[in-house]
Amino acid sequence: MLHHLQLSNTGPAPDLQLELAPRLNLITGDNSLGKSFLLDVAWYCLTRRWPQELNPGLNGGAMAQPTQRSQAAEISFSVDGESDPNQAKTYHCSFNLEEEAWIGQAGRPVNPGLVVYAMADGAFAVWDPARNAWKRKGAVDTPEKTRAYVFSSRQVWSGLPNPQSDLGSLCNGLVQDWANWQRENGEAFSQLRAVLHRLSPDAVRPLLPGPLVRISRQDTQDYPTLMSPAGHAVPLPHWSSGVKRIIGLAYLLVWAWQEHVKASDLLARPPARQMIFLVDEVEAHLHPTWQRRVVKALMDVVDNLNQHTAIQLLLVTHSPLVMASVEPLFDPERDRWWDLDWSEANQQVELTPRPFNRYGDANNWLRSEAFDQADTGSLEREAILRRARQLIQSGAEASADEVAAMHSELQSVLGATDVFWNRWHFEASRHGWQP
Ligand SMILES: Nc1ncnc2c1ncn2[C@@H]1O[C@H](COP(=O)(O)OP(=O)(O)OP(=O)(O)O)[C@@H](O)[C@H]1O
Ligand SMILES: [Mg+2]
């Protein structure tokens, strides 16, 4: 588990500090305030590699750069190791301008357990302690040749080639693995089916695998399918962005866990006791129906991979529905909400742990510190209502012409059932207006 993260002179703020909760950490904040950056840094702290350093094809996940090159840039963090879960180890790294790299203590980094990072654009990264951890050569600790599995969104589907060999691959990718698992009909496929079932948008539209199909005479690949509500087997490449996002998550979680268990068996070791799951924009591409379910479903899915593995989640969201959806499960002992804001007073980005209030619904969440919306309707409606309220305040002094003009303005932006009409009609009869 990642306990503590502290940054200075790198990223969007001069200083950032997080004390992470052991289970669920939710991160909110306006665009460009550093939510994805924080996840990239968390991944770096846990694995000591920047995602883009391992896969230059990624859009994000670049190495953190110092803000002011003339000043020291530092990253400090503390993390529980697999071997000693109650003994957090603290590390400091600073940016070396000549090496253009973050330099920390020498030697083998702590093993944080399995780390999975789902980026906002469908890219993924997996660090597996049974396949990517450092190992001892003689008296020296050396990193594994494969430092982590970092996939662009395309490679999640097509797989990762093995740069050291023409034979075999680091990962076959979703299309081939799913098809192979389905043919074997063994544990991997039953786990995939269970994960898809739990991540489905609702009971009426389950993500149900159908038969393997060919798409074209020129393509020898058997494609997995999902059943459509109309009963058709639709090949995975033809599904929507939302379904692709969820099946990518489902596949990578099952792949990472299955391969981890196999590699641990080869090492004659039990599987990891800790898993850290970073998800950027957890609601990406999802309709509100799905947004209201996805966090609880993801928590259940990772819990079900292995009952003996403790899971820490860092989830970034822009969605008031996601925030409202976690109200019943949020436990202040184990969970925390982090909010990034631009402070006008201090002229800098600030990260604040907020007390998690139950605001009730998405509209109230939009008005909360998470989203800071003064109004949740159109900007035009907001402006006209502001002026209508001012007119109401002037009460009896308002002229008949002003009232009539405001009435027609209200008609131009408010729907027939808008709640503001009740107030307007009440005030009109109170002041004797004839709108
Ligand atoms: N590699 C980097 N090195 C230094 N600073 C960075 C780096 N990447 C991002 N930043 C800083 O973080 C800011 C944007 O961060 P980020 O992409 O994390 O925003 P975000 O909160 O995820 O926004 P959105 O909601 O639009 O995805 C940049 O403006 C920059 O100040
Ligand atoms: Mg982002």
Side-chain angles (χ1 to χ4, degrees):
M1 170 192 153
L2 186 59
H3 283 277
H4 171 82
L5 185 56
Q6 189 167 359
L7 313 176
S8 62
N9 191 31
T10 181
D15 291 290
L16 283 178
Q17 195 163 329
L18 282 99
E19 299 296 335
L20 290 143
R23 189 179 68 158
L24 177 63
N25 292 274
L26 292 157
I27 306 172
T28 56
D30 204 341
N31 291 117
S32 303
L33 292 187
K35 302 178 298 299
S36 304
F37 176 77
L38 275 178
L39 293 191
D40 292 340
V41 173
W43 164 268
Y44 169 77
C45 293
L46 295 163
T47 69
R48 302 310 168 76
R49 288 286 179 272
W50 298 96
Q52 205 180 73
E53 182 190 351
L54 297 182
N55 187 338
L58 294 194
N59 292 323
M63 177 192 288
Q65 296 291 329
T67 310
Q68 312 247 16
R69 294 211 156 220
S70 55
Q71 289 170 21
E74 289 184 347
I75 300 178
S76 309
F77 57 95
S78 59
V79 59
D80 277 340
E82 268 281 310
S83 50
D84 206 352
N86 298 317
Q87 195 68 56
K89 294 204 172 63
T90 303
Y91 288 85
H92 304 280
C93 335
S94 45
F95 194 80
N96 184 304
L97 293 177
E98 276 168 24
E99 305 266 344
E100 297 222 304
W102 292 88
I103 309 289
Q105 287 112 302
R108 180 193 294 224
V110 71
N111 168 3
L114 189 62
V115 188
V116 179
Y117 180 11
M119 287 164 246
D121 66 352
F124 263 96
V126 175
W127 188 91
D128 179 345
R131 294 183 291 161
N132 309 123
W134 290 40
K135 59 185 177 191
R136 184 148 288 212
K137 276 201 180 146
V140 185
D141 284 327
T142 50
E144 263 296 354
K145 285 203 181 81
T146 306
R147 308 265 163 102
Y149 301 88
V150 184
F151 305 80
S152 67
S153 60
R154 185 91 196 128
Q155 288 167 328
V156 172
W157 286 63
S158 59
L160 280 181
N162 186 346
Q164 268 110 44
S165 156
D166 289 349
L167 287 175
S169 59
L170 293 181
C171 171
N172 298 323
L174 184 158
V175 173
Q176 255 194 55
D177 271 339
W178 181 322
N180 289 340
W181 295 346
Q182 189 160 347
R183 286 189 205 97
E184 287 163 17
N185 206 13
E187 203 198 318
F189 194 56
S190 73
Q191 195 163 56
L192 180 69
R193 287 179 83 103
V195 169
L196 288 169
H197 180 75
R198 188 63 195 89
L199 287 175
S200 296
D202 53 36
V204 191
R205 290 167 298 159
L207 296 174
L208 192 64
L212 302 175
V213 297
R214 289 282 170 100
I215 292 182
S216 146
R217 284 180 293 126
Q218 272 72 46
D219 184 350
T220 56
Q221 174 70 49
D222 291 325
Y223 284 89
T225 59
L226 284 172
M227 298 309 294
S228 76
H232 304 301
V234 179
L236 299 189
H238 298 170
W239 276 94
S240 66
S241 307
V243 171
K244 281 183 177 150
R245 164 79 169 175
I246 293 293
I247 61 182
L249 273 165
Y251 163 67
L252 249 302
L253 281 172
V254 173
W255 177 81
W257 185 255
Q258 290 285 326
E259 292 301 327
H260 171 65
V261 170
K262 284 181 196 163
S264 302
D265 278 352
L266 290 175
L267 292 167
R269 278 199 226 140
R273 286 184 294 182
Q274 305 187 127
M275 175 171 169
I276 303 177
F277 190 19
L278 318 171
V279 187
D280 200 1
E281 298 186 24
V282 64
E283 69 282 359
H285 302 296
L286 303 183
H287 181 273
T289 312
W290 222 338
Q291 291 187 25
R292 294 177 66 197
R293 287 165 170 77
V294 68
V295 173
K296 174 77 169 68
L298 278 177
M299 289 174 81
D300 288 350
V301 161
V302 284
D303 267 350
N304 289 342
L305 288 175
N306 184 353
Q307 309 284 317
H308 307 292
T309 304
I311 317 284
Q312 186 184 34
L313 289 136
L314 274 70
L315 303 186
V316 165
T317 184
H318 287 131
S319 167
L321 285 164
V322 164
M323 294 303 283
S325 78
V326 299
E327 285 188 9
L329 57 94
F330 194 94
D331 171 3
E333 298 288 314
R334 297 186 286 169
D335 305 327
R336 208 153 293 157
W337 162 31
W338 298 95
D339 189 29
L340 280 159
D341 281 300
W342 169 253
S343 160
E344 272 303 323
N346 301 330
Q347 289 288 298
Q348 62 182 29
V349 173
E350 291 176 355
L351 179 67
T352 318
R354 302 268 185 215
F356 187 93
N357 294 321
R358 293 197 170 121
Y359 288 103
D361 66 14
N363 227 17
N364 290 335
W365 271 99
L366 280 169
R367 294 170 192 270
S368 76
E369 289 148 326
F371 303 101
D372 303 299
Q373 298 301 299
D375 196 289
T376 57
S378 71
L379 296 176
E380 291 78 0
R381 178 181 178 276
E382 181 183 359
I384 289 174
L385 289 192
R386 196 179 312 120
R387 284 193 286 111
R389 288 190 190 103
Q390 281 163 2
L391 193 74
I392 286 169
Q393 296 235 308
S394 60
E397 289 161 29
S399 73
D401 284 353
E402 282 175 316
V403 170
M406 180 49 71
H407 189 78
S408 63
E409 277 202 84
L410 286 170
Q411 279 177 321
S412 72
V413 291
L414 301 191
T417 55
D418 198 294
V419 287
F420 189 77
W421 284 126
N422 292 340
R423 168 107 195 262
W424 181 248
H425 292 312
F426 170 76
E427 296 290 344
S429 65
R430 192 157 76 95
H431 296 297
W433 294 341
Q434 313 263 300

mmCIF file of all heavy atoms in Angstrom, residues 5 29 76 95 100 104 123-124 142 145 155 165 189 203 233 262 271 279 304 358 362 398 413:
data_model
loop_
_atom_site.group_PDB
_atom_site.id
_atom_site.type_symbol
_atom_site.label_atom_id
_atom_site.label_comp_id
_atom_site.label_asym_id
_atom_site.label_seq_id
_atom_site.Cartn_x
_atom_site.Cartn_y
_atom_site.Cartn_z
ATOM 1 N N LEU A 5 2.753 10.439 -0.078
ATOM 2 C CA LEU A 5 3.351 10.918 -1.325
ATOM 3 C C LEU A 5 3.552 12.412 -1.186
ATOM 4 O O LEU A 5 2.632 13.131 -0.789
ATOM 5 C CB LEU A 5 2.376 10.614 -2.462
ATOM 6 C CG LEU A 5 2.772 10.891 -3.892
ATOM 7 C CD1 LEU A 5 4.059 10.176 -4.239
ATOM 8 C CD2 LEU A 5 1.656 10.407 -4.822
ATOM 9 N N GLY A 29 -11.185 17.232 -9.246
ATOM 10 C CA GLY A 29 -10.532 18.511 -9.547
ATOM 11 C C GLY A 29 -10.784 18.887 -10.986
ATOM 12 O O GLY A 29 -11.043 18.027 -11.840
ATOM 13 N N SER A 76 9.011 12.257 -2.557
ATOM 14 C CA SER A 76 9.196 11.333 -1.423
ATOM 15 C C SER A 76 7.929 10.515 -1.289
ATOM 16 O O SER A 76 6.837 11.012 -1.553
ATOM 17 C CB SER A 76 9.389 12.076 -0.103
ATOM 18 O OG SER A 76 10.375 13.027 -0.229
ATOM 19 N N PHE A 95 15.511 15.185 -8.702
ATOM 20 C CA PHE A 95 15.735 15.220 -10.147
ATOM 21 C C PHE A 95 17.154 15.675 -10.433
ATOM 22 O O PHE A 95 17.606 16.706 -9.932
ATOM 23 C CB PHE A 95 14.733 16.164 -10.821
ATOM 24 C CG PHE A 95 14.698 15.982 -12.306
ATOM 25 C CD1 PHE A 95 13.980 14.943 -12.870
ATOM 26 C CD2 PHE A 95 15.391 16.847 -13.143
ATOM 27 C CE1 PHE A 95 13.947 14.762 -14.246
ATOM 28 C CE2 PHE A 95 15.361 16.670 -14.520
ATOM 29 C CZ PHE A 95 14.637 15.617 -15.071
ATOM 30 N N GLU A 100 18.945 13.820 -16.418
ATOM 31 C CA GLU A 100 17.524 13.955 -16.755
ATOM 32 C C GLU A 100 16.743 12.764 -16.212
ATOM 33 O O GLU A 100 16.003 12.076 -16.930
ATOM 34 C CB GLU A 100 17.320 14.095 -18.266
ATOM 35 C CG GLU A 100 17.971 15.336 -18.811
ATOM 36 C CD GLU A 100 17.137 16.065 -19.824
ATOM 37 O OE1 GLU A 100 16.774 15.430 -20.804
ATOM 38 O OE2 GLU A 100 16.858 17.273 -19.634
ATOM 39 N N GLY A 104 17.322 8.137 -6.699
ATOM 40 C CA GLY A 104 17.008 7.871 -5.298
ATOM 41 C C GLY A 104 18.057 6.964 -4.689
ATOM 42 O O GLY A 104 19.169 6.860 -5.199
ATOM 43 N N ALA A 123 -5.136 3.172 -22.319
ATOM 44 C CA ALA A 123 -3.815 2.567 -22.123
ATOM 45 C C ALA A 123 -3.775 1.935 -20.726
ATOM 46 O O ALA A 123 -4.529 2.335 -19.836
ATOM 47 C CB ALA A 123 -2.730 3.632 -22.260
ATOM 48 N N PHE A 124 -2.894 0.941 -20.568
ATOM 49 C CA PHE A 124 -2.815 0.195 -19.311
ATOM 50 C C PHE A 124 -1.378 -0.085 -18.945
ATOM 51 O O PHE A 124 -0.525 -0.218 -19.835
ATOM 52 C CB PHE A 124 -3.448 -1.186 -19.493
ATOM 53 C CG PHE A 124 -4.861 -1.268 -19.047
ATOM 54 C CD1 PHE A 124 -5.882 -1.122 -19.958
ATOM 55 C CD2 PHE A 124 -5.164 -1.498 -17.722
ATOM 56 C CE1 PHE A 124 -7.198 -1.210 -19.567
ATOM 57 C CE2 PHE A 124 -6.466 -1.585 -17.312
ATOM 58 C CZ PHE A 124 -7.492 -1.445 -18.236
ATOM 59 N N THR A 142 19.523 -6.446 -9.398
ATOM 60 C CA THR A 142 19.355 -5.887 -10.745
ATOM 61 C C THR A 142 17.888 -5.936 -11.145
ATOM 62 O O THR A 142 17.170 -6.860 -10.769
ATOM 63 C CB THR A 142 20.141 -6.694 -11.805
ATOM 64 O OG1 THR A 142 19.808 -8.057 -11.617
ATOM 65 C CG2 THR A 142 21.620 -6.484 -11.715
ATOM 66 N N LYS A 145 14.526 -7.810 -16.834
ATOM 67 C CA LYS A 145 14.584 -7.289 -18.217
ATOM 68 C C LYS A 145 13.254 -6.630 -18.577
ATOM 69 O O LYS A 145 13.205 -5.565 -19.156
ATOM 70 C CB LYS A 145 14.863 -8.430 -19.177
ATOM 71 C CG LYS A 145 16.303 -8.900 -19.134
ATOM 72 C CD LYS A 145 16.666 -9.588 -20.434
ATOM 73 C CE LYS A 145 18.082 -10.101 -20.429
ATOM 74 N NZ LYS A 145 18.218 -11.389 -19.735
ATOM 75 N N GLN A 155 -2.688 -1.718 -28.065
ATOM 76 C CA GLN A 155 -1.967 -2.947 -27.688
ATOM 77 C C GLN A 155 -2.724 -3.798 -26.667
ATOM 78 O O GLN A 155 -2.450 -4.975 -26.543
ATOM 79 C CB GLN A 155 -0.580 -2.596 -27.142
ATOM 80 C CG GLN A 155 0.359 -2.134 -28.239
ATOM 81 C CD GLN A 155 1.610 -1.493 -27.676
ATOM 82 O OE1 GLN A 155 1.580 -0.858 -26.616
ATOM 83 N NE2 GLN A 155 2.716 -1.642 -28.387
ATOM 84 N N SER A 165 12.722 -11.605 -28.372
ATOM 85 C CA SER A 165 12.578 -12.855 -29.126
ATOM 86 C C SER A 165 11.488 -12.726 -30.180
ATOM 87 O O SER A 165 10.498 -12.023 -29.972
ATOM 88 C CB SER A 165 12.221 -13.975 -28.135
ATOM 89 O OG SER A 165 11.556 -15.004 -28.778
ATOM 90 N N PHE A 189 -11.338 -18.330 -18.308
ATOM 91 C CA PHE A 189 -12.592 -17.913 -18.947
ATOM 92 C C PHE A 189 -13.718 -17.770 -17.920
ATOM 93 O O PHE A 189 -14.525 -16.850 -18.006
ATOM 94 C CB PHE A 189 -12.987 -18.889 -20.060
ATOM 95 C CG PHE A 189 -14.064 -18.332 -20.952
ATOM 96 C CD1 PHE A 189 -13.888 -17.114 -21.589
ATOM 97 C CD2 PHE A 189 -15.262 -19.006 -21.135
ATOM 98 C CE1 PHE A 189 -14.883 -16.573 -22.404
ATOM 99 C CE2 PHE A 189 -16.262 -18.477 -21.945
ATOM 100 C CZ PHE A 189 -16.068 -17.257 -22.582
ATOM 101 N N ALA A 203 -28.799 -5.286 -14.985
ATOM 102 C CA ALA A 203 -29.222 -6.687 -15.113
ATOM 103 C C ALA A 203 -29.852 -6.962 -16.480
ATOM 104 O O ALA A 203 -29.816 -8.085 -16.979
ATOM 105 C CB ALA A 203 -30.206 -7.023 -14.003
ATOM 106 N N ALA A 233 -24.718 -12.084 -31.805
ATOM 107 C CA ALA A 233 -23.342 -12.170 -31.307
ATOM 108 C C ALA A 233 -22.527 -11.094 -32.031
ATOM 109 O O ALA A 233 -22.230 -11.233 -33.218
ATOM 110 C CB ALA A 233 -22.773 -13.559 -31.583
ATOM 111 N N LYS A 262 0.248 -17.745 -12.189
ATOM 112 C CA LYS A 262 1.097 -18.750 -12.866
ATOM 113 C C LYS A 262 2.570 -18.501 -12.575
ATOM 114 O O LYS A 262 3.338 -19.426 -12.297
ATOM 115 C CB LYS A 262 0.862 -18.720 -14.383
ATOM 116 C CG LYS A 262 -0.435 -19.374 -14.789
ATOM 117 C CD LYS A 262 -0.589 -19.325 -16.299
ATOM 118 C CE LYS A 262 -2.026 -19.621 -16.688
ATOM 119 N NZ LYS A 262 -2.345 -19.227 -18.035
ATOM 120 N N PRO A 271 0.563 -16.019 -4.216
ATOM 121 C CA PRO A 271 0.345 -14.759 -4.937
ATOM 122 C C PRO A 271 0.457 -13.550 -4.007
ATOM 123 O O PRO A 271 0.464 -13.688 -2.783
ATOM 124 C CB PRO A 271 -1.067 -14.885 -5.486
ATOM 125 C CG PRO A 271 -1.656 -16.114 -4.934
ATOM 126 C CD PRO A 271 -0.620 -16.877 -4.193
ATOM 127 N N VAL A 279 -6.953 4.078 -11.371
ATOM 128 C CA VAL A 279 -7.868 4.220 -12.518
ATOM 129 C C VAL A 279 -8.116 5.705 -12.757
ATOM 130 O O VAL A 279 -8.633 6.413 -11.889
ATOM 131 C CB VAL A 279 -9.225 3.518 -12.286
ATOM 132 C CG1 VAL A 279 -10.060 3.546 -13.567
ATOM 133 C CG2 VAL A 279 -9.039 2.093 -11.817
ATOM 134 N N ASN A 304 -12.868 -10.035 -5.461
ATOM 135 C CA ASN A 304 -13.129 -11.433 -5.792
ATOM 136 C C ASN A 304 -11.959 -12.133 -6.468
ATOM 137 O O ASN A 304 -11.959 -13.357 -6.586
ATOM 138 C CB ASN A 304 -14.363 -11.546 -6.697
ATOM 139 C CG ASN A 304 -15.620 -11.245 -5.913
ATOM 140 O OD1 ASN A 304 -15.600 -11.285 -4.676
ATOM 141 N ND2 ASN A 304 -16.695 -10.914 -6.608
ATOM 142 N N ARG A 358 -22.439 13.193 2.744
ATOM 143 C CA ARG A 358 -23.420 12.569 1.846
ATOM 144 C C ARG A 358 -24.286 13.687 1.279
ATOM 145 O O ARG A 358 -25.200 14.159 1.949
ATOM 146 C CB ARG A 358 -24.245 11.545 2.598
ATOM 147 C CG ARG A 358 -23.401 10.374 3.029
ATOM 148 C CD ARG A 358 -24.259 9.179 3.408
ATOM 149 N NE ARG A 358 -23.406 8.018 3.582
ATOM 150 C CZ ARG A 358 -23.314 7.330 4.709
ATOM 151 N NH1 ARG A 358 -24.039 7.665 5.749
ATOM 152 N NH2 ARG A 358 -22.492 6.302 4.783
ATOM 153 N N ALA A 362 -26.546 13.709 -7.605
ATOM 154 C CA ALA A 362 -25.523 14.280 -8.489
ATOM 155 C C ALA A 362 -25.602 15.800 -8.530
ATOM 156 O O ALA A 362 -24.580 16.492 -8.572
ATOM 157 C CB ALA A 362 -25.697 13.707 -9.894
ATOM 158 N N ALA A 398 -40.766 47.221 -8.659
ATOM 159 C CA ALA A 398 -40.608 46.801 -10.061
ATOM 160 C C ALA A 398 -41.767 47.336 -10.900
ATOM 161 O O ALA A 398 -42.925 47.239 -10.502
ATOM 162 C CB ALA A 398 -40.569 45.278 -10.139
ATOM 163 N N VAL A 413 -36.183 30.787 -21.759
ATOM 164 C CA VAL A 413 -35.167 29.800 -21.319
ATOM 165 C C VAL A 413 -35.710 28.683 -20.430
ATOM 166 O O VAL A 413 -35.059 27.641 -20.295
ATOM 167 C CB VAL A 413 -33.971 30.465 -20.562
ATOM 168 C CG1 VAL A 413 -33.120 31.304 -21.473
ATOM 169 C CG2 VAL A 413 -34.426 31.230 -19.349
#
